[in-house]
Amino acid sequence: MNRKLPVLLVFSLGLASIAHAQSPRPPEHVSPTPAWLPRGLFLGTTVRQGAVTPRVKVQWQLTFFQDRNDAFALLLEGGLGWAAAFPDPEAGAPQTLLGSYYEHTAQVGIGYRNQRTGGAHWGFQVTGGPVFYGAHFDGGTPADHRTTGIIEGRIHLGYQWGATGVGVAVGYSEPFGLKKRSLARSFVGGPMFGLFMDWR
């Protein structure tokens, strides 16, 4: 028994020193913004069939899983967009005689965010919902105003300053349920790119 006591003492001291040397787990990220206020912004542009549509999207996020750096959140996003450039007119193609075009959306979905204090920020999201679009045409063609569905995905890559992440975003949105008689259907959705800000 006397021989075992020094061995147990050395072993206990070793475990204590290892536990003391381990750094404590950093605290989980806590958002400085109340859940009822927006926590994200996207300023971007979509391009489809010659129509270039700048847009702004505001996002609310409800986090349902949170770790030190990782978070999964339910997303609610509203967006407004108006075309700034139009396709070249073509004979026999009345949809190309575009005089104005708008595209507004209200979407829900899920997103992943990884933000490190003073480091890289990245994430992705998938959302879907109704899109309200409309167009006026030159040459006497009747205006076209409709509602359909749309699915959208975006990837965010940026940098983190304190509680705010800023960077670039690229994505794609695809409408569904479009009516064949809709002349403006060719301009809905498409590839998108822009800047994001996230202060989750």
mmCIF file of all heavy atoms in Angstrom, residues 58-108:
data_model
loop_
_atom_site.group_PDB
_atom_site.id
_atom_site.type_symbol
_atom_site.label_atom_id
_atom_site.label_comp_id
_atom_site.label_asym_id
_atom_site.label_seq_id
_atom_site.Cartn_x
_atom_site.Cartn_y
_atom_site.Cartn_z
ATOM 1 N N VAL A 58 -34.122 42.149 -47.332
ATOM 2 C CA VAL A 58 -33.962 42.279 -45.887
ATOM 3 C C VAL A 58 -34.357 40.953 -45.253
ATOM 4 O O VAL A 58 -35.360 40.339 -45.649
ATOM 5 C CB VAL A 58 -34.817 43.430 -45.328
ATOM 6 C CG1 VAL A 58 -34.663 43.539 -43.822
ATOM 7 C CG2 VAL A 58 -34.430 44.745 -45.993
ATOM 8 N N GLN A 59 -33.583 40.520 -44.257
ATOM 9 C CA GLN A 59 -33.761 39.167 -43.716
ATOM 10 C C GLN A 59 -33.880 39.162 -42.200
ATOM 11 O O GLN A 59 -33.119 39.830 -41.494
ATOM 12 C CB GLN A 59 -32.571 38.316 -44.135
ATOM 13 C CG GLN A 59 -32.709 36.842 -43.829
ATOM 14 C CD GLN A 59 -31.539 36.063 -44.392
ATOM 15 O OE1 GLN A 59 -30.542 35.861 -43.710
ATOM 16 N NE2 GLN A 59 -31.658 35.630 -45.640
ATOM 17 N N TRP A 60 -34.857 38.393 -41.711
ATOM 18 C CA TRP A 60 -34.991 38.092 -40.293
ATOM 19 C C TRP A 60 -34.520 36.656 -40.072
ATOM 20 O O TRP A 60 -34.766 35.778 -40.896
ATOM 21 C CB TRP A 60 -36.448 38.220 -39.854
ATOM 22 C CG TRP A 60 -36.910 39.633 -39.754
ATOM 23 C CD1 TRP A 60 -37.035 40.379 -38.620
ATOM 24 C CD2 TRP A 60 -37.350 40.477 -40.832
ATOM 25 N NE1 TRP A 60 -37.501 41.646 -38.928
ATOM 26 C CE2 TRP A 60 -37.693 41.730 -40.275
ATOM 27 C CE3 TRP A 60 -37.458 40.306 -42.214
ATOM 28 C CZ2 TRP A 60 -38.160 42.787 -41.042
ATOM 29 C CZ3 TRP A 60 -37.910 41.357 -42.995
ATOM 30 C CH2 TRP A 60 -38.252 42.577 -42.413
ATOM 31 N N GLN A 61 -33.830 36.408 -38.955
ATOM 32 C CA GLN A 61 -33.276 35.086 -38.680
ATOM 33 C C GLN A 61 -33.679 34.632 -37.276
ATOM 34 O O GLN A 61 -33.527 35.387 -36.308
ATOM 35 C CB GLN A 61 -31.749 35.113 -38.772
ATOM 36 C CG GLN A 61 -31.215 35.593 -40.110
ATOM 37 C CD GLN A 61 -29.701 35.608 -40.153
ATOM 38 O OE1 GLN A 61 -29.033 35.024 -39.302
ATOM 39 N NE2 GLN A 61 -29.153 36.278 -41.157
ATOM 40 N N LEU A 62 -34.184 33.425 -37.189
ATOM 41 C CA LEU A 62 -34.516 32.815 -35.897
ATOM 42 C C LEU A 62 -33.631 31.583 -35.733
ATOM 43 O O LEU A 62 -33.856 30.553 -36.361
ATOM 44 C CB LEU A 62 -35.998 32.433 -35.837
ATOM 45 C CG LEU A 62 -36.465 31.774 -34.546
ATOM 46 C CD1 LEU A 62 -36.270 32.714 -33.354
ATOM 47 C CD2 LEU A 62 -37.923 31.352 -34.655
ATOM 48 N N THR A 63 -32.597 31.700 -34.911
ATOM 49 C CA THR A 63 -31.620 30.626 -34.741
ATOM 50 C C THR A 63 -32.223 29.484 -33.925
ATOM 51 O O THR A 63 -32.763 29.704 -32.844
ATOM 52 C CB THR A 63 -30.362 31.162 -34.038
ATOM 53 O OG1 THR A 63 -29.820 32.239 -34.810
ATOM 54 C CG2 THR A 63 -29.320 30.070 -33.884
ATOM 55 N N PHE A 64 -32.125 28.260 -34.450
ATOM 56 C CA PHE A 64 -32.611 27.095 -33.701
ATOM 57 C C PHE A 64 -31.479 26.164 -33.278
ATOM 58 O O PHE A 64 -31.699 25.244 -32.490
ATOM 59 C CB PHE A 64 -33.673 26.328 -34.500
ATOM 60 C CG PHE A 64 -33.195 25.738 -35.795
ATOM 61 C CD1 PHE A 64 -32.620 24.480 -35.827
ATOM 62 C CD2 PHE A 64 -33.333 26.438 -36.992
ATOM 63 C CE1 PHE A 64 -32.176 23.928 -37.020
ATOM 64 C CE2 PHE A 64 -32.912 25.883 -38.189
ATOM 65 C CZ PHE A 64 -32.329 24.630 -38.205
ATOM 66 N N PHE A 65 -30.258 26.376 -33.795
ATOM 67 C CA PHE A 65 -29.074 25.666 -33.304
ATOM 68 C C PHE A 65 -27.918 26.644 -33.277
ATOM 69 O O PHE A 65 -27.641 27.311 -34.270
ATOM 70 C CB PHE A 65 -28.722 24.473 -34.188
ATOM 71 C CG PHE A 65 -27.409 23.826 -33.794
ATOM 72 C CD1 PHE A 65 -27.353 22.927 -32.745
ATOM 73 C CD2 PHE A 65 -26.231 24.153 -34.449
ATOM 74 C CE1 PHE A 65 -26.142 22.348 -32.362
ATOM 75 C CE2 PHE A 65 -25.019 23.583 -34.084
ATOM 76 C CZ PHE A 65 -24.982 22.675 -33.025
ATOM 77 N N GLN A 66 -27.254 26.740 -32.144
ATOM 78 C CA GLN A 66 -26.168 27.703 -31.995
ATOM 79 C C GLN A 66 -24.984 27.066 -31.274
ATOM 80 O O GLN A 66 -25.139 26.452 -30.220
ATOM 81 C CB GLN A 66 -26.649 28.912 -31.185
ATOM 82 C CG GLN A 66 -25.576 29.928 -30.888
ATOM 83 C CD GLN A 66 -25.152 30.668 -32.140
ATOM 84 O OE1 GLN A 66 -25.928 31.428 -32.700
ATOM 85 N NE2 GLN A 66 -23.931 30.471 -32.588
ATOM 86 N N ASP A 67 -23.802 27.182 -31.879
ATOM 87 C CA ASP A 67 -22.556 26.751 -31.254
ATOM 88 C C ASP A 67 -21.662 27.976 -31.177
ATOM 89 O O ASP A 67 -22.094 29.096 -31.420
ATOM 90 C CB ASP A 67 -21.928 25.628 -32.088
ATOM 91 C CG ASP A 67 -20.963 24.782 -31.278
ATOM 92 O OD1 ASP A 67 -20.573 25.221 -30.183
ATOM 93 O OD2 ASP A 67 -20.578 23.697 -31.754
ATOM 94 N N ARG A 68 -20.388 27.761 -30.862
ATOM 95 C CA ARG A 68 -19.467 28.893 -30.782
ATOM 96 C C ARG A 68 -19.394 29.645 -32.102
ATOM 97 O O ARG A 68 -19.421 30.868 -32.131
ATOM 98 C CB ARG A 68 -18.068 28.413 -30.380
ATOM 99 C CG ARG A 68 -17.954 27.976 -28.932
ATOM 100 C CD ARG A 68 -16.599 27.352 -28.679
ATOM 101 N NE ARG A 68 -16.423 26.114 -29.427
ATOM 102 C CZ ARG A 68 -15.287 25.433 -29.499
ATOM 103 N NH1 ARG A 68 -14.215 25.888 -28.883
ATOM 104 N NH2 ARG A 68 -15.212 24.309 -30.178
ATOM 105 N N ASN A 69 -19.283 28.921 -33.196
ATOM 106 C CA ASN A 69 -19.119 29.543 -34.505
ATOM 107 C C ASN A 69 -20.246 29.219 -35.473
ATOM 108 O O ASN A 69 -20.469 29.964 -36.418
ATOM 109 C CB ASN A 69 -17.798 29.090 -35.144
ATOM 110 C CG ASN A 69 -16.601 29.396 -34.272
ATOM 111 O OD1 ASN A 69 -16.490 30.478 -33.721
ATOM 112 N ND2 ASN A 69 -15.706 28.433 -34.137
ATOM 113 N N ASP A 70 -20.913 28.107 -35.281
ATOM 114 C CA ASP A 70 -21.900 27.618 -36.238
ATOM 115 C C ASP A 70 -23.319 27.933 -35.780
ATOM 116 O O ASP A 70 -23.616 27.904 -34.591
ATOM 117 C CB ASP A 70 -21.772 26.107 -36.408
ATOM 118 C CG ASP A 70 -20.355 25.695 -36.740
ATOM 119 O OD1 ASP A 70 -19.893 26.040 -37.828
ATOM 120 O OD2 ASP A 70 -19.712 25.037 -35.898
ATOM 121 N N ALA A 71 -24.168 28.198 -36.755
ATOM 122 C CA ALA A 71 -25.578 28.429 -36.440
ATOM 123 C C ALA A 71 -26.444 27.987 -37.614
ATOM 124 O O ALA A 71 -26.092 28.203 -38.780
ATOM 125 C CB ALA A 71 -25.822 29.893 -36.135
ATOM 126 N N PHE A 72 -27.568 27.361 -37.299
ATOM 127 C CA PHE A 72 -28.618 27.083 -38.268
ATOM 128 C C PHE A 72 -29.816 27.931 -37.876
ATOM 129 O O PHE A 72 -30.175 28.001 -36.693
ATOM 130 C CB PHE A 72 -28.990 25.604 -38.273
ATOM 131 C CG PHE A 72 -27.979 24.735 -38.945
ATOM 132 C CD1 PHE A 72 -26.945 24.149 -38.214
ATOM 133 C CD2 PHE A 72 -28.046 24.497 -40.310
ATOM 134 C CE1 PHE A 72 -26.002 23.342 -38.832
ATOM 135 C CE2 PHE A 72 -27.107 23.683 -40.938
ATOM 136 C CZ PHE A 72 -26.081 23.112 -40.191
ATOM 137 N N ALA A 73 -30.418 28.578 -38.863
ATOM 138 C CA ALA A 73 -31.499 29.508 -38.562
ATOM 139 C C ALA A 73 -32.639 29.368 -39.552
ATOM 140 O O ALA A 73 -32.429 29.036 -40.731
ATOM 141 C CB ALA A 73 -30.979 30.948 -38.588
ATOM 142 N N LEU A 74 -33.852 29.613 -39.058
ATOM 143 C CA LEU A 74 -35.003 29.775 -39.930
ATOM 144 C C LEU A 74 -34.970 31.200 -40.462
ATOM 145 O O LEU A 74 -34.677 32.144 -39.719
ATOM 146 C CB LEU A 74 -36.297 29.529 -39.154
ATOM 147 C CG LEU A 74 -36.489 28.119 -38.603
ATOM 148 C CD1 LEU A 74 -37.737 28.060 -37.738
ATOM 149 C CD2 LEU A 74 -36.588 27.107 -39.743
ATOM 150 N N LEU A 75 -35.252 31.362 -41.745
ATOM 151 C CA LEU A 75 -35.123 32.663 -42.397
ATOM 152 C C LEU A 75 -36.465 33.145 -42.917
ATOM 153 O O LEU A 75 -37.266 32.375 -43.422
ATOM 154 C CB LEU A 75 -34.145 32.578 -43.570
ATOM 155 C CG LEU A 75 -32.768 31.979 -43.289
ATOM 156 C CD1 LEU A 75 -31.955 31.929 -44.578
ATOM 157 C CD2 LEU A 75 -32.036 32.762 -42.213
ATOM 158 N N LEU A 76 -36.686 34.431 -42.770
ATOM 159 C CA LEU A 76 -37.805 35.130 -43.391
ATOM 160 C C LEU A 76 -37.211 36.311 -44.135
ATOM 161 O O LEU A 76 -36.512 37.130 -43.541
ATOM 162 C CB LEU A 76 -38.813 35.594 -42.340
ATOM 163 C CG LEU A 76 -39.954 36.483 -42.838
ATOM 164 C CD1 LEU A 76 -40.818 35.732 -43.842
ATOM 165 C CD2 LEU A 76 -40.787 36.984 -41.673
ATOM 166 N N GLU A 77 -37.459 36.383 -45.444
ATOM 167 C CA GLU A 77 -36.794 37.380 -46.270
ATOM 168 C C GLU A 77 -37.777 38.056 -47.207
ATOM 169 O O GLU A 77 -38.597 37.407 -47.840
ATOM 170 C CB GLU A 77 -35.683 36.712 -47.072
ATOM 171 C CG GLU A 77 -34.823 37.658 -47.885
ATOM 172 C CD GLU A 77 -33.659 36.930 -48.549
ATOM 173 O OE1 GLU A 77 -33.871 36.367 -49.635
ATOM 174 O OE2 GLU A 77 -32.560 36.920 -47.971
ATOM 175 N N GLY A 78 -37.681 39.371 -47.276
ATOM 176 C CA GLY A 78 -38.483 40.136 -48.214
ATOM 177 C C GLY A 78 -37.583 40.914 -49.148
ATOM 178 O O GLY A 78 -36.555 41.449 -48.724
ATOM 179 N N GLY A 79 -37.938 40.969 -50.442
ATOM 180 C CA GLY A 79 -37.075 41.641 -51.402
ATOM 181 C C GLY A 79 -37.848 42.430 -52.439
ATOM 182 O O GLY A 79 -38.977 42.081 -52.806
ATOM 183 N N LEU A 80 -37.226 43.527 -52.892
ATOM 184 C CA LEU A 80 -37.782 44.379 -53.935
ATOM 185 C C LEU A 80 -36.767 44.502 -55.062
ATOM 186 O O LEU A 80 -35.563 44.590 -54.806
ATOM 187 C CB LEU A 80 -38.089 45.778 -53.392
ATOM 188 C CG LEU A 80 -39.049 45.872 -52.200
ATOM 189 C CD1 LEU A 80 -39.116 47.315 -51.702
ATOM 190 C CD2 LEU A 80 -40.429 45.362 -52.579
ATOM 191 N N GLY A 81 -37.247 44.502 -56.309
ATOM 192 C CA GLY A 81 -36.338 44.642 -57.441
ATOM 193 C C GLY A 81 -37.003 45.324 -58.626
ATOM 194 O O GLY A 81 -38.187 45.083 -58.896
ATOM 195 N N TRP A 82 -36.254 46.207 -59.302
ATOM 196 C CA TRP A 82 -36.712 46.877 -60.511
ATOM 197 C C TRP A 82 -35.618 46.792 -61.562
ATOM 198 O O TRP A 82 -34.445 47.023 -61.260
ATOM 199 C CB TRP A 82 -37.035 48.348 -60.241
ATOM 200 C CG TRP A 82 -38.285 48.566 -59.442
ATOM 201 C CD1 TRP A 82 -39.563 48.683 -59.925
ATOM 202 C CD2 TRP A 82 -38.387 48.689 -58.016
ATOM 203 N NE1 TRP A 82 -40.447 48.874 -58.887
ATOM 204 C CE2 TRP A 82 -39.755 48.881 -57.699
ATOM 205 C CE3 TRP A 82 -37.451 48.639 -56.971
ATOM 206 C CZ2 TRP A 82 -40.205 49.033 -56.395
ATOM 207 C CZ3 TRP A 82 -37.901 48.797 -55.666
ATOM 208 C CH2 TRP A 82 -39.258 48.982 -55.400
ATOM 209 N N ALA A 83 -35.983 46.485 -62.785
ATOM 210 C CA ALA A 83 -34.997 46.345 -63.856
ATOM 211 C C ALA A 83 -34.365 47.689 -64.188
ATOM 212 O O ALA A 83 -35.041 48.723 -64.238
ATOM 213 C CB ALA A 83 -35.654 45.754 -65.096
ATOM 214 N N ALA A 84 -33.057 47.663 -64.419
ATOM 215 C CA ALA A 84 -32.305 48.855 -64.805
ATOM 216 C C ALA A 84 -31.826 48.782 -66.245
ATOM 217 O O ALA A 84 -31.415 49.789 -66.808
ATOM 218 C CB ALA A 84 -31.112 49.041 -63.869
ATOM 219 N N ALA A 85 -31.849 47.586 -66.857
ATOM 220 C CA ALA A 85 -31.458 47.410 -68.251
ATOM 221 C C ALA A 85 -32.384 46.376 -68.876
ATOM 222 O O ALA A 85 -32.861 45.461 -68.191
ATOM 223 C CB ALA A 85 -29.999 46.967 -68.356
ATOM 224 N N PHE A 86 -32.621 46.512 -70.170
ATOM 225 C CA PHE A 86 -33.617 45.697 -70.858
ATOM 226 C C PHE A 86 -33.006 45.009 -72.079
ATOM 227 O O PHE A 86 -31.973 45.446 -72.597
ATOM 228 C CB PHE A 86 -34.795 46.570 -71.291
ATOM 229 C CG PHE A 86 -35.359 47.397 -70.177
ATOM 230 C CD1 PHE A 86 -35.144 48.768 -70.131
ATOM 231 C CD2 PHE A 86 -36.079 46.804 -69.153
ATOM 232 C CE1 PHE A 86 -35.648 49.534 -69.101
ATOM 233 C CE2 PHE A 86 -36.588 47.563 -68.110
ATOM 234 C CZ PHE A 86 -36.371 48.930 -68.076
ATOM 235 N N PRO A 87 -33.637 43.939 -72.552
ATOM 236 C CA PRO A 87 -33.100 43.242 -73.733
ATOM 237 C C PRO A 87 -33.220 44.095 -74.988
ATOM 238 O O PRO A 87 -34.035 45.017 -75.061
ATOM 239 C CB PRO A 87 -33.971 41.987 -73.825
ATOM 240 C CG PRO A 87 -35.242 42.355 -73.137
ATOM 241 C CD PRO A 87 -34.855 43.290 -72.034
ATOM 242 N N ASP A 88 -32.414 43.770 -75.970
ATOM 243 C CA ASP A 88 -32.507 44.453 -77.259
ATOM 244 C C ASP A 88 -33.795 44.013 -77.961
ATOM 245 O O ASP A 88 -34.113 42.818 -78.005
ATOM 246 C CB ASP A 88 -31.297 44.108 -78.130
ATOM 247 C CG ASP A 88 -29.995 44.640 -77.544
ATOM 248 O OD1 ASP A 88 -30.048 45.693 -76.872
ATOM 249 O OD2 ASP A 88 -28.947 44.000 -77.749
ATOM 250 N N PRO A 89 -34.548 44.971 -78.509
ATOM 251 C CA PRO A 89 -35.799 44.611 -79.203
ATOM 252 C C PRO A 89 -35.545 43.711 -80.412
ATOM 253 O O PRO A 89 -34.548 43.874 -81.120
ATOM 254 C CB PRO A 89 -36.354 45.969 -79.643
ATOM 255 C CG PRO A 89 -35.679 46.973 -78.763
ATOM 256 C CD PRO A 89 -34.320 46.414 -78.468
ATOM 257 N N GLU A 90 -36.426 42.750 -80.600
ATOM 258 C CA GLU A 90 -36.343 41.850 -81.745
ATOM 259 C C GLU A 90 -37.690 41.814 -82.459
ATOM 260 O O GLU A 90 -38.746 41.780 -81.809
ATOM 261 C CB GLU A 90 -35.974 40.427 -81.296
ATOM 262 C CG GLU A 90 -34.613 40.303 -80.641
ATOM 263 C CD GLU A 90 -34.331 38.880 -80.202
ATOM 264 O OE1 GLU A 90 -35.028 37.961 -80.702
ATOM 265 O OE2 GLU A 90 -33.441 38.683 -79.364
ATOM 266 N N ALA A 91 -37.652 41.799 -83.754
ATOM 267 C CA ALA A 91 -38.884 41.727 -84.535
ATOM 268 C C ALA A 91 -39.590 40.401 -84.278
ATOM 269 O O ALA A 91 -38.965 39.342 -84.265
ATOM 270 C CB ALA A 91 -38.563 41.873 -86.026
ATOM 271 N N GLY A 92 -40.903 40.465 -84.062
ATOM 272 C CA GLY A 92 -41.678 39.256 -83.818
ATOM 273 C C GLY A 92 -41.562 38.701 -82.412
ATOM 274 O O GLY A 92 -42.066 37.611 -82.144
ATOM 275 N N ALA A 93 -40.882 39.415 -81.503
ATOM 276 C CA ALA A 93 -40.737 38.975 -80.110
ATOM 277 C C ALA A 93 -41.201 40.104 -79.191
ATOM 278 O O ALA A 93 -40.390 40.922 -78.746
ATOM 279 C CB ALA A 93 -39.290 38.588 -79.814
ATOM 280 N N PRO A 94 -42.511 40.194 -78.935
ATOM 281 C CA PRO A 94 -43.037 41.322 -78.155
ATOM 282 C C PRO A 94 -42.472 41.413 -76.737
ATOM 283 O O PRO A 94 -42.419 42.491 -76.164
ATOM 284 C CB PRO A 94 -44.548 41.062 -78.137
ATOM 285 C CG PRO A 94 -44.711 39.617 -78.465
ATOM 286 C CD PRO A 94 -43.574 39.267 -79.357
ATOM 287 N N GLN A 95 -42.027 40.275 -76.165
ATOM 288 C CA GLN A 95 -41.462 40.317 -74.819
ATOM 289 C C GLN A 95 -40.154 41.100 -74.750
ATOM 290 O O GLN A 95 -39.735 41.529 -73.670
ATOM 291 C CB GLN A 95 -41.257 38.898 -74.261
ATOM 292 C CG GLN A 95 -40.145 38.110 -74.892
ATOM 293 C CD GLN A 95 -40.574 37.369 -76.142
ATOM 294 O OE1 GLN A 95 -41.656 37.639 -76.699
ATOM 295 N NE2 GLN A 95 -39.766 36.424 -76.590
ATOM 296 N N THR A 96 -39.501 41.268 -75.884
ATOM 297 C CA THR A 96 -38.246 42.028 -75.885
ATOM 298 C C THR A 96 -38.481 43.534 -75.934
ATOM 299 O O THR A 96 -37.538 44.305 -75.782
ATOM 300 C CB THR A 96 -37.361 41.614 -77.078
ATOM 301 O OG1 THR A 96 -38.031 41.962 -78.307
ATOM 302 C CG2 THR A 96 -37.067 40.133 -77.043
ATOM 303 N N LEU A 97 -39.732 43.956 -76.135
ATOM 304 C CA LEU A 97 -40.056 45.387 -76.141
ATOM 305 C C LEU A 97 -40.357 45.855 -74.727
ATOM 306 O O LEU A 97 -41.347 46.533 -74.451
ATOM 307 C CB LEU A 97 -41.255 45.648 -77.061
ATOM 308 C CG LEU A 97 -41.091 45.194 -78.509
ATOM 309 C CD1 LEU A 97 -42.377 45.417 -79.294
ATOM 310 C CD2 LEU A 97 -39.929 45.926 -79.179
ATOM 311 N N LEU A 98 -39.495 45.478 -73.810
ATOM 312 C CA LEU A 98 -39.704 45.719 -72.389
ATOM 313 C C LEU A 98 -39.475 47.188 -72.064
ATOM 314 O O LEU A 98 -38.411 47.749 -72.337
ATOM 315 C CB LEU A 98 -38.733 44.831 -71.586
ATOM 316 C CG LEU A 98 -39.021 44.597 -70.113
ATOM 317 C CD1 LEU A 98 -40.366 43.898 -69.929
ATOM 318 C CD2 LEU A 98 -37.911 43.743 -69.497
ATOM 319 N N GLY A 99 -40.495 47.804 -71.452
ATOM 320 C CA GLY A 99 -40.366 49.202 -71.051
ATOM 321 C C GLY A 99 -40.056 49.356 -69.577
ATOM 322 O O GLY A 99 -39.352 50.282 -69.165
ATOM 323 N N SER A 100 -40.571 48.431 -68.751
ATOM 324 C CA SER A 100 -40.273 48.416 -67.316
ATOM 325 C C SER A 100 -40.544 47.011 -66.784
ATOM 326 O O SER A 100 -41.319 46.247 -67.377
ATOM 327 C CB SER A 100 -41.124 49.433 -66.553
ATOM 328 O OG SER A 100 -42.497 49.068 -66.595
ATOM 329 N N TYR A 101 -39.890 46.677 -65.680
ATOM 330 C CA TYR A 101 -40.054 45.344 -65.099
ATOM 331 C C TYR A 101 -39.781 45.421 -63.601
ATOM 332 O O TYR A 101 -38.846 46.092 -63.154
ATOM 333 C CB TYR A 101 -39.082 44.345 -65.736
ATOM 334 C CG TYR A 101 -39.120 42.971 -65.112
ATOM 335 C CD1 TYR A 101 -40.177 42.101 -65.349
ATOM 336 C CD2 TYR A 101 -38.100 42.561 -64.253
ATOM 337 C CE1 TYR A 101 -40.226 40.851 -64.745
ATOM 338 C CE2 TYR A 101 -38.139 41.304 -63.661
ATOM 339 C CZ TYR A 101 -39.203 40.456 -63.906
ATOM 340 O OH TYR A 101 -39.243 39.223 -63.303
ATOM 341 N N TYR A 102 -40.617 44.764 -62.799
ATOM 342 C CA TYR A 102 -40.381 44.661 -61.355
ATOM 343 C C TYR A 102 -40.507 43.204 -60.926
ATOM 344 O O TYR A 102 -41.173 42.394 -61.577
ATOM 345 C CB TYR A 102 -41.353 45.539 -60.562
ATOM 346 C CG TYR A 102 -42.789 45.061 -60.577
ATOM 347 C CD1 TYR A 102 -43.251 44.097 -59.680
ATOM 348 C CD2 TYR A 102 -43.698 45.579 -61.511
ATOM 349 C CE1 TYR A 102 -44.563 43.666 -59.699
ATOM 350 C CE2 TYR A 102 -45.013 45.145 -61.537
ATOM 351 C CZ TYR A 102 -45.438 44.199 -60.629
ATOM 352 O OH TYR A 102 -46.742 43.756 -60.656
ATOM 353 N N GLU A 103 -39.853 42.886 -59.809
ATOM 354 C CA GLU A 103 -39.884 41.524 -59.255
ATOM 355 C C GLU A 103 -39.695 41.614 -57.744
ATOM 356 O O GLU A 103 -38.611 41.941 -57.262
ATOM 357 C CB GLU A 103 -38.781 40.683 -59.887
ATOM 358 C CG GLU A 103 -38.782 39.230 -59.459
ATOM 359 C CD GLU A 103 -37.644 38.452 -60.093
ATOM 360 O OE1 GLU A 103 -37.424 38.604 -61.314
ATOM 361 O OE2 GLU A 103 -36.970 37.713 -59.360
ATOM 362 N N HIS A 104 -40.750 41.333 -56.995
ATOM 363 C CA HIS A 104 -40.718 41.412 -55.534
ATOM 364 C C HIS A 104 -40.993 40.022 -54.955
ATOM 365 O O HIS A 104 -41.816 39.275 -55.502
ATOM 366 C CB HIS A 104 -41.744 42.416 -55.012
ATOM 367 C CG HIS A 104 -41.695 43.755 -55.688
ATOM 368 N ND1 HIS A 104 -40.504 44.350 -56.067
ATOM 369 C CD2 HIS A 104 -42.685 44.609 -56.069
ATOM 370 C CE1 HIS A 104 -40.760 45.522 -56.632
ATOM 371 N NE2 HIS A 104 -42.074 45.697 -56.652
ATOM 372 N N THR A 105 -40.326 39.692 -53.860
ATOM 373 C CA THR A 105 -40.468 38.345 -53.287
ATOM 374 C C THR A 105 -40.679 38.398 -51.776
ATOM 375 O O THR A 105 -40.282 39.352 -51.100
ATOM 376 C CB THR A 105 -39.221 37.487 -53.559
ATOM 377 O OG1 THR A 105 -38.085 38.104 -52.941
ATOM 378 C CG2 THR A 105 -38.965 37.336 -55.041
ATOM 379 N N ALA A 106 -41.300 37.344 -51.263
ATOM 380 C CA ALA A 106 -41.413 37.078 -49.828
ATOM 381 C C ALA A 106 -41.101 35.599 -49.650
ATOM 382 O O ALA A 106 -41.831 34.753 -50.187
ATOM 383 C CB ALA A 106 -42.808 37.417 -49.311
ATOM 384 N N GLN A 107 -40.019 35.278 -48.926
ATOM 385 C CA GLN A 107 -39.555 33.894 -48.877
ATOM 386 C C GLN A 107 -39.269 33.445 -47.450
ATOM 387 O O GLN A 107 -38.945 34.265 -46.580
ATOM 388 C CB GLN A 107 -38.276 33.739 -49.711
ATOM 389 C CG GLN A 107 -38.459 34.116 -51.172
ATOM 390 C CD GLN A 107 -37.203 33.920 -51.978
ATOM 391 O OE1 GLN A 107 -36.440 32.984 -51.768
ATOM 392 N NE2 GLN A 107 -36.966 34.809 -52.929
ATOM 393 N N VAL A 108 -39.364 32.140 -47.254
ATOM 394 C CA VAL A 108 -38.967 31.514 -45.995
ATOM 395 C C VAL A 108 -38.021 30.366 -46.331
ATOM 396 O O VAL A 108 -38.051 29.823 -47.439
ATOM 397 C CB VAL A 108 -40.178 30.991 -45.188
ATOM 398 C CG1 VAL A 108 -41.071 32.123 -44.746
ATOM 399 C CG2 VAL A 108 -40.970 29.970 -46.001
#
